[in-house]
Amino acid sequence: MQFADRLKNVETSAIRELFKLLGKPGIISFAGGFPDPALFDVDGIRESSNAVLTNNPGPVLQYGATEGFQPLREGISAFMAHKGATVSPEGLIVTTGSQQALDLIGKTMISPGDKVIVEAPTFLATIQCFRLYGAQLIGAPIDADGVDVDKLEQLIDEHKPKLVYLIPTFGNPSGATLSLERRKRILEIAVRTQTLIVEDDPYGELYFDQAPPPSLLALSDEVPGSRDWLAHCGSFSKILSPGLRVGWLIAPPALLANATMCKQFSDAHTSNLTQAICAHYLTLNRLEGALAVVRKTYADRARVMAESLRRELGSAIAFTQPQGGMFFWANLTGAEGQPCHAPEFAKRAIDKGVAFVPGAPFFAHDPDLSTFRLSFATADVAKIEEGIGRLGQAL
Ligand code: PMP
């Protein structure tokens, strides 16, 4: 069979190949990117499901508007206001996870050969999705404070990209958070260079002690003209449940209209039933309570993971302590003859009964083979101590 040429730009994820090895009994996995299902607010979701199927089931079981279920658009608008960002219900569309928002951005913005700047490293599915549309990806370096803005500005001036894709808050895989000062500069650069910035923000609510700086979207009011160059992707996946597949896209009107048109041909609309469940859930005033538990649990797990890593691996690795999200991003230092090749380390770790993801696939080009990602979201504290102990033995 002759498949479309665009498939030549992508390959199945190296991470999926690794996941095949995870079936081994007794393995402790830090490899996944899933939230902990034990933290889903099942009672609240059940209450909302019952309510929407009892009160007026017809419309939620019927076809609906591509833009989204209106009560949910209103609910998301209020939720964003609570996070400091002003957006009318008409200024957003509901998407089938934020993954679809990214796909719609790719579909509406990227022609084959277009240049797109992403962080190095960045979310693997975005790399694959934008490549499918023929993007030529350019990686911008990051540090503990997020993307290096001087370098980003230089890259924008040099390459004149179609768009810049950033995960400014608790990045996947980097765990890094862009500083307030850098956020403002990025908005200024967007206006000066007339470059679309895509802010992907699925993790911003998962902070430990202190809320992160406001999103680029929230800050856009302070930088005149920046809203015209900003798209923002949000999601209920990490704050409520990923199985609901409900996310959203906020974008300037012309981009939003084109994305809506493309969504019509793609899935017509996101499930009305799960949209209605989310909309009802937001009226229950349970989200803050549920998030408080998630924040505390992930904060404890991240603290224990950091302590265990320092104790068990010492100078063999370097990492920045994340302040939220779900990930540690680390690199093998190679100090004093210690290992420096994460894919080999991952194989030895599996033999010792612990799994993580080597960092190379998260780079659009020039992968750093010393890097790797550990998720602290799904293993409890005892498993984390045990798993990092095994990791120490795999060195
Ligand atoms: N963006 C980032 C950075 C992610 O890590 C994820 C999920 N792991 C997504 C988008 C997609 O999430 P969803 O489609 O479930 O909203």
Side-chain angles (χ1 to χ4, degrees), residues 79-252:
F79 177 68
M80 293 306 296
H82 173 69
K83 286 155 53 96
T86 318
V87 55
S88 70
E90 288 67 39
L92 65 92
I93 62 170
V94 179
T95 55
T96 302
S98 54
Q99 184 67 53
Q100 188 187 40
L102 297 168
D103 183 55
L104 294 173
I105 287 169
K107 217 174 237 172
T108 50
M109 297 302 300
I110 300 172
S111 303
D114 279 351
K115 291 180 177 173
V116 169
I117 297 179
V118 299
E119 285 156 295
T122 191
F123 180 42
L124 182 57
T126 303
I127 295 181
Q128 302 283 55
C129 169
F130 288 178
R131 278 211 177 121
L132 198 57
Y133 293 111
Q136 185 190 330
L137 298 177
I138 298 156
I142 63 160
D143 59 29
D145 286 334
V147 73
D148 176 337
V149 182
D150 291 331
K151 188 69 188 156
L152 177 65
E153 185 165 29
Q154 225 176 307
L155 288 171
I156 292 175
D157 285 336
E158 184 186 337
H159 294 285
K160 315 221 171 329
K162 204 64 177 286
L163 61 96
V164 175
Y165 168 76
L166 301 173
I167 311 162
T169 309
F170 314 135
N172 176 9
S174 70
T177 293
L178 194 65
S179 68
L180 180 61
E181 189 208 328
R182 288 187 183 184
R183 286 174 193 243
K184 290 189 183 155
R185 270 201 59 205
I186 286 174
L187 291 171
E188 287 160 9
I189 294 167
V191 176
R192 178 182 71 75
T193 60
Q194 310 221 317
T195 305
L196 175 67
I197 308 287
V198 176
E199 172 176 53
D200 189 12
D201 187 24
Y203 299 106
E205 290 295 316
L206 304 186
Y207 55 85
F208 301 154
D209 303 318
Q210 222 181 322
S215 62
L216 294 175
L217 187 74
L219 288 169
S220 65
D221 289 344
E222 293 178 27
V223 181
S226 61
R227 192 67 181 256
D228 297 341
W229 298 103
L230 189 59
H232 177 103
C233 308
S235 175
F236 286 117
S237 288
K238 306 297 173 354
I239 57 179
L240 189 55
S241 142
L244 295 168
R245 306 308 303 132
V246 180
W248 57 94
L249 170 63
I250 298 165

Side-chain angles (χ1 to χ4, degrees), residues 322-338:
Q323 304 301 318
M326 299 186 354
F327 305 109
F328 272 78
W329 180 244
N331 68 286
L332 294 165
T333 58
E336 293 154 26
Q338 308 256 33

